[in-house]
Amino acid sequence: MKQLICLLLICFCLLRVNAQMLTPIKSSGSKFSITCANLYFEVDSARGARISSFKIDDSELLYVDFATTDMAGSTFWPSPQSVWGWPPAVNLDSKPYLSKINGDTILFKGATDTKSQLRFYKRMFGSLADTSITIQYVIKNEKSTSQTWAPWEITRVPATGLTIFSKGSGSVTGDMASRTREINGLMWYDQDQYNSPGNKFFCDGQGWLAHVTRDNFLFIKKFENITAAKKAPGEAEIEVYTASDDSYTELEDQGAYTSIASKDSIKWKVKWLARALPTSVDVSAGSKSLSDYIASILARADLTSTIKANHTSSLLKLYPNPASEQLIVETGFDSYRDVRISIFNMQGKKIISQAFTQQKTRIDITSLSRGIYFYEVKRENESMVRGKFSVVR
């Protein structure tokens, strides 16, 4: 009985910690924050609901020199820029947004831009299922007639490190195109190799953009992939700009160029992930170990649905939870051919992978340390069930 009570107390504490990590906090002044495992995400409602910090293990990934420039953090604009020129509309980019916390989500509402008659809304929340932050941008057309725009996220990082993305159709264009290299289907931009004139390159992508810092932290943005035909005029799905003084680089991603009816809106979702790279991963242009690691993270980052709690399904039962020495997995599949369960740690690294041969399968977890883990069951590489469990000792 004492062991049972102790186990229940540990479980209760883990659940309390889990809830606290996913609950947004109203920080000092106009700032809001979300802590998700080892990620820290901060938004400043007084500065256009701009993302003012994104840290992993207390290491800052963004360029955040707000003291000397307004070109810092991560912002959101309408595309194409050729319609509005420069500077960005203050009501969209830098003036205060109304803000509130609703459960596990931070909600922001901006004022209407007098020129474009656009209004922005932003929703942000964290998920322990894949250790991520999801940002949903909404562009509302307050004009009496329809107009066409594309969503555009601009994220500023220090102008160092390695930028990677998967190329879609066409070629890389722009005055920085020569700084990129195509190796094994991926585009690589090693910023530490260049100190020459040039500002930007454009390219059709495949729905993601990654950056590795000098400290070997990986930052990934995942978003809906669009074809080159759906890009805004003069723009591209992937754009990268490096400031002339090499102080920062903008990692830019854009969605589909879409007609928005009067008083209607479009939504666009971007998922942010960050990981500390294992020492076994080689950080260099063309590195297969790096591209494989990025692919493993992207495979678990689901844009269509975000699991915020334990996932239950009639297809699968996993118990006990918390567990200490073994997991028992019962499945209701009609066939066990090519059915496999994978277990990941908080950093997204695959720890265990085991095939199913029968309805009830036992998994030895004695090698796992105390903490929270995630599982995914796939059949023929199609994700069937996802969830999380705790290990106690």
Side-chain angles (χ1 to χ4, degrees):
M1 177 61 72
K2 289 183 179 180
Q3 289 181 333
L4 176 60
I5 294 174
C6 182
L7 186 63
L8 290 173
L9 286 172
I10 293 172
C11 179
F12 177 72
C13 290
L14 285 172
L15 290 173
R16 282 182 58 86
V17 171
N18 182 24
Q20 291 171 358
M21 286 193 294
L22 290 180
T23 301
I25 296 174
K26 175 66 170 65
S27 305
S28 60
S30 56
K31 295 179 179 179
F32 294 77
S33 64
I34 300 171
T35 299
C36 181
N38 61 339
L39 303 183
Y40 173 80
F41 179 85
E42 181 187 272
V43 187
D44 191 346
S45 62
R47 197 184 292 268
R50 189 177 303 185
I51 300 166
S52 51
S53 178
F54 187 48
K55 295 179 180 179
I56 176 171
D57 296 334
D58 292 324
S59 294
E60 183 62 66
L61 301 179
L62 304 184
Y63 179 74
V64 291
D65 188 11
F66 288 100
T68 59
T69 178
D70 192 48
M71 305 297 288
S74 184
T75 187
F76 182 69
W77 296 337
S79 177
Q81 186 176 342
S82 59
V83 175
W84 50 266
W86 190 262
V90 293
N91 280 352
L92 306 179
D93 177 65
S94 56
K95 281 201 169 182
Y97 275 49
L98 297 176
S99 54
K100 68 175 182 179
I101 294 175
N102 183 13
D104 60 0
T105 302
I106 317 173
L107 305 174
F108 299 97
K109 177 183 178 180
T112 302
D113 170 41
T114 56
K115 182 178 179 181
S116 66
Q117 292 296 297
L118 295 178
R119 183 199 297 271
F120 288 169
Y121 297 81
K122 303 177 184 180
R123 299 175 65 248
M124 307 175 185
F125 56 87
S127 171
L128 280 173
D130 53 9
T131 316
S132 68
I133 303 294
T134 295
I135 308 150
Q136 184 181 71
Y137 299 102
V138 178
I139 301 178
K140 185 178 181 183
N141 177 18
E142 298 286 12
K143 201 173 182 179
S144 58
T145 58
S146 64
Q147 49 180 324
T148 306
W149 294 96
W152 183 7
E153 184 184 61
I154 301 93
T155 304
R156 302 178 182 107
V157 297
T160 58
L162 185 63
T163 300
I164 314 106
F165 65 95
S166 183
K167 188 169 75 71
S169 61
S171 58
V172 182
T173 61
D175 60 3
M176 282 200 338
S178 61
R179 298 187 183 186
T180 65
R181 297 171 61 194
E182 182 173 4
I183 307 174
N184 298 327
L186 296 183
M187 300 306 303
W188 307 78
Y189 169 33
D190 188 346
Q191 301 191 52
D192 295 320
Q193 286 190 354
Y194 295 95
N195 186 15
S196 58
N199 293 115
K200 197 166 191 176
F201 65 77
F202 305 77
C203 191
D204 181 41
Q206 293 286 339
W208 62 273
L209 179 59
H211 183 75
V212 181
T213 70
R214 280 182 174 175
D215 297 325
N216 285 357
F217 289 114
L218 173 66
F219 173 27
I220 302 177
K221 300 201 293 180
K222 184 173 183 177
F223 41 89
E224 182 183 356
N225 183 36
I226 63 170
T227 63
K230 292 185 177 181
K231 69 179 183 65
E235 305 284 354
E237 179 183 351
I238 301 290
E239 302 183 5
V240 175
Y241 165 87
T242 296
S244 57
D245 63 355
D246 286 324
S247 57
Y248 65 88
T249 286
E250 293 179 346
L251 308 177
E252 308 176 15
D253 38 297
Q254 296 196 15
Y257 188 55
T258 306
S259 177
I260 313 172
S262 173
K263 308 303 178 183
D264 203 355
S265 61
I266 59 172
K267 298 178 181 179
W268 187 57
K269 188 183 294 183
V270 181
K271 178 165 283 193
W272 284 23
L273 307 106
R275 302 289 187 267
L277 287 174
T279 55
S280 58
V281 174
D282 169 41
V283 180
S284 63
S287 166
K288 187 178 186 303
S289 59
L290 177 55
S291 60
D292 286 348
Y293 187 80
I294 291 173
S296 70
I297 301 300
L298 289 169
R300 295 188 58 243
D302 186 4
L303 276 175
T304 58
S305 62
T306 302
I307 305 168
K308 302 175 187 177
N310 281 331
H311 181 82
T312 59
S313 170
S314 59
L315 294 175
L316 181 140
K317 292 181 181 179
L318 181 145
Y319 60 90
N321 189 5
S324 58
E325 295 183 355
Q326 70 173 5
L327 287 173
I328 299 175
V329 185
E330 293 187 23
T331 60
F333 299 129
D334 54 0
S335 169
Y336 298 101
R337 180 180 177 182
D338 295 325
V339 177
R340 178 172 292 273
I341 184 170
S342 297
I343 295 175
F344 305 84
N345 64 14
M346 295 287 284
Q347 290 297 310
K349 181 180 179 181
K350 186 184 294 185
I351 305 297
I352 295 173
S353 181
Q354 185 169 322
F356 287 99
T357 58
Q358 55 189 356
Q359 183 181 12
K360 182 182 290 188
T361 299
R362 298 177 185 272
I363 302 174
D364 181 9
I365 59 169
T366 54
S367 62
L368 302 184
S369 58
R370 175 178 171 177
I372 298 173
Y373 295 83
F374 308 103
Y375 65 86
E376 180 177 40
V377 176
K378 286 186 175 183
R379 180 165 59 182
E380 296 180 347
N381 291 323
E382 178 185 358
S383 182
M384 305 295 290
V385 182
R386 290 180 176 182
K388 64 184 172 69
F389 66 94
S390 302
V391 174
V392 295
R393 293 284 184 259

